[in-house]
Amino acid sequence: MGHDSIDPDRFLPENRADAARWEHQRLRRRLLEGDWRMDLAERLREHLAPTRAQNLGRPVLAVNLLKSIASQLAVLYDRVPTVHIEDAVPEVEEEVVEMLGEMGTWSILQRNAEHVIGIRESLVAIGWSESRQVPTLRLVPADTVVCECDPEDPHRIILLKEARPRSRRGRDGRDEMDVFWDVWDIRDPRSPAFRIENRDGLDVTGMIPAVADQVGMAYPYIDETGEPFIPMVLYHAQNVGRLWDYMTWAEIVEGSLDCGVLWSLFFHCARDASWRQKYAINLALSGARLIKAADGETSQQVETSPSSVLMFQSVGDGKQGSAGTFDAPIEPAKFADAVLGFQRTVVAHIGINPADLERTESANSVYAIQLKRSAQRKLGLRFEPQFRRGDVELIRKACLIANLHAGRALPVTGASITYHPIEETTAERADEFGYLQALVAAGQLSRVDLYQALNPGVSVEMAMERLVEIDAINRGVSMQAGRVLDEMQRQPI
């Protein structure tokens, strides 16, 4: 059996809608994971004639628009969030927080956030480590699962099938690899089941080593109310009232490939067409030596220096020879400006305002789309409600699984999470302070408002008291400085 047949990235479901979704989500995932060379090569062949595409050489993968935007917007986990358990004593809350740390939760969720933003959906599976006695987390790409939802709740999954490579016992008794469906089925709450199916949908759980039947009473994942649950969490970039939203931001996916084409052309032009080509008509250069390169190609070369004189011989049967220089056919800086303008146009079509992009002193100083930190904070807030819903569900299920396997008594309700935005730069703080000072000078804000803005959480009374203290200190310093100055002036020189 060939490798391609057991590669889940080449396996497709029979349902045409799911197959189309998988194909597009896989393209996005290849872009996010840096495995898009073949996709860019195919796009080059679509834009250019075969010979011209071949002459470009290696595609340029240095600028990846989708990955850049997704990574810049995935800022919720740049600083470890604060988890709070309502009505739990501090020791129990600390136990949950410590468990999440041992699970590597925030590192996994950072990568998951990039997938959620770039692909629009992603899943996290929760398992159990017997050796470490803690839950485990595993990213599950959306392009490997097929789901069925509760008809009354499009976000509650009641059937989930994940394509995974597994080893099974063959007819000759030896193990062999193939792609199987891990099936989680809670459509009938009275008879939940986990089973493994082959490509034809037949139950082959008994043929898979180290996997036991989990049907009915043997199904382990039951919550505190007696309802079965699937040990996975589906994250959405946006609540759109349906299970999958995989075509949103298709513009930036296509634009990323087209930008790759343009940057490949830019590199080709900068390498092969950015200088002034010299030429000679009816002239031959005297003193040239024949040089043979390592690849067998030969060329004529002559050594020059500031004091040398190049000698030419006429070869035109009495016709006068001439020499000159062609103008450079391309200016790389202007070409790069045009590509950067195209990138900004693509980004604008997904709702990022040009004012949110960093400005550079010179176009040839950077050729990437860089969001301002203020824009990262502002745009990141769009995703916060959906990530909070997913994270609270993940904490709940992780506690349920820890209670099941380790006999703990962790709380499974009341969890909340607070995200900490990325810090402001010094320049941003200075700009904000200057803006607030201008409002105070214009009579639009009081000094109390200014103090509260600079010290969040301070009450009006506390701000007024502190300002009175500051004024008294400043008056005292001013009076003391005045006395010192008067004494200095009275002293003879």
Side-chain angles (χ1 to χ4, degrees), residues 70-306:
S71 61
Q72 289 184 70
L73 293 181
V75 296
L76 285 182
Y77 305 96
D78 282 5
R79 300 167 64 190
V80 175
T82 299
V83 174
H84 173 66
I85 309 296
E86 186 178 1
D87 297 331
V89 297
E91 293 78 11
V92 173
E93 182 175 276
E94 181 60 31
E95 185 179 358
V96 173
V97 171
E98 183 178 344
M99 181 186 73
L100 293 173
E102 292 175 354
M103 293 162 54
T105 302
W106 311 120
S107 176
I108 292 288
L109 292 184
Q110 177 68 50
R111 184 63 178 270
N112 178 65
E114 294 183 11
H115 278 215
V116 173
I117 294 171
I119 305 174
R120 306 299 293 175
E121 279 90 24
S122 181
L123 297 93
V124 179
I126 309 168
W128 179 256
S129 171
E130 284 292 343
S131 60
R132 296 170 50 228
Q133 289 291 291
V134 293
T136 60
L137 300 179
R138 175 175 61 89
L139 284 184
V140 178
D143 57 82
T144 62
V145 299
V146 173
C147 299
E148 180 181 326
C149 293
D150 186 333
E152 298 181 357
D153 183 358
H155 298 299
R156 179 175 177 266
I157 299 174
I158 57 177
L159 175 68
L160 187 148
K161 301 172 68 173
E162 179 193 359
R164 297 185 68 184
R166 284 185 177 274
S167 174
R168 70 167 180 179
R169 287 185 294 272
R171 294 182 179 179
D172 57 0
R174 291 184 296 182
D175 290 345
E176 56 184 30
M177 294 295 296
D178 200 355
V179 174
F180 296 89
W181 291 107
D182 281 13
V183 182
W184 304 88
D185 187 352
I186 60 172
R187 289 174 292 184
D188 182 358
R190 296 167 299 180
S191 184
F194 170 77
R195 59 183 179 272
I196 298 177
E197 296 179 354
N198 64 11
R199 300 181 187 218
D200 298 323
L202 299 177
D203 188 344
V204 294
T205 308
M207 301 176 62
I208 306 298
V211 176
D213 289 333
Q214 298 179 13
V215 181
M217 297 296 291
Y219 188 82
Y221 301 107
I222 306 296
D223 68 16
E224 76 283 2
T225 68
E227 291 293 317
F229 67 92
I230 296 173
M232 287 195 192
V233 178
L234 173 62
Y235 283 80
H236 298 273
Q238 185 179 9
N239 185 353
V240 294
R242 60 178 181 269
L243 181 59
W244 304 112
D245 184 37
Y246 69 97
M247 289 307 295
T248 296
W249 281 20
E251 301 88 350
I252 198 171
V253 177
E254 295 297 317
S256 297
L257 294 172
D258 290 335
C259 284
V261 171
L262 292 174
W263 285 121
S264 296
L265 287 169
F266 165 80
F267 189 85
H268 168 65
C269 291
R271 181 191 63 201
D272 298 334
S274 60
W275 66 83
R276 294 163 59 87
Q277 177 64 53
K278 297 177 176 60
Y279 65 87
I281 301 174
N282 294 329
L283 293 175
L285 183 62
S286 299
R289 293 185 302 164
L290 194 64
I291 302 297
K292 186 174 183 179
D295 59 3
E297 295 290 332
T298 59
S299 62
Q300 288 187 332
Q301 298 182 10
V302 63
E303 294 183 4
T304 63
S305 71

Side-chain angles (χ1 to χ4, degrees), residues 48-80:
L48 306 173
T51 302
R52 190 178 175 196
Q54 184 176 2
N55 289 339
L56 288 180
R58 293 168 62 89
V60 174
L61 306 175
V63 180
N64 184 331
L65 207 54
L66 178 65
K67 180 175 177 61
S68 174
I69 294 299
S71 61
Q72 289 184 70
L73 293 181
V75 296
L76 285 182
Y77 305 96
D78 282 5
R79 300 167 64 190
V80 175

Side-chain angles (χ1 to χ4, degrees), residues 438-451:
L439 291 179
V440 172
Q444 301 297 311
L445 282 181
S446 69
R447 291 177 62 214
V448 172
D449 295 325
L450 175 60
Y451 188 89

Side-chain angles (χ1 to χ4, degrees), residues 349-366:
H349 277 77
I350 63 169
I352 295 179
N353 193 295
D356 293 329
L357 303 177
E358 291 282 9
R359 298 291 182 181
T360 56
E361 293 295 329
S362 172
N364 56 10
S365 63
V366 63

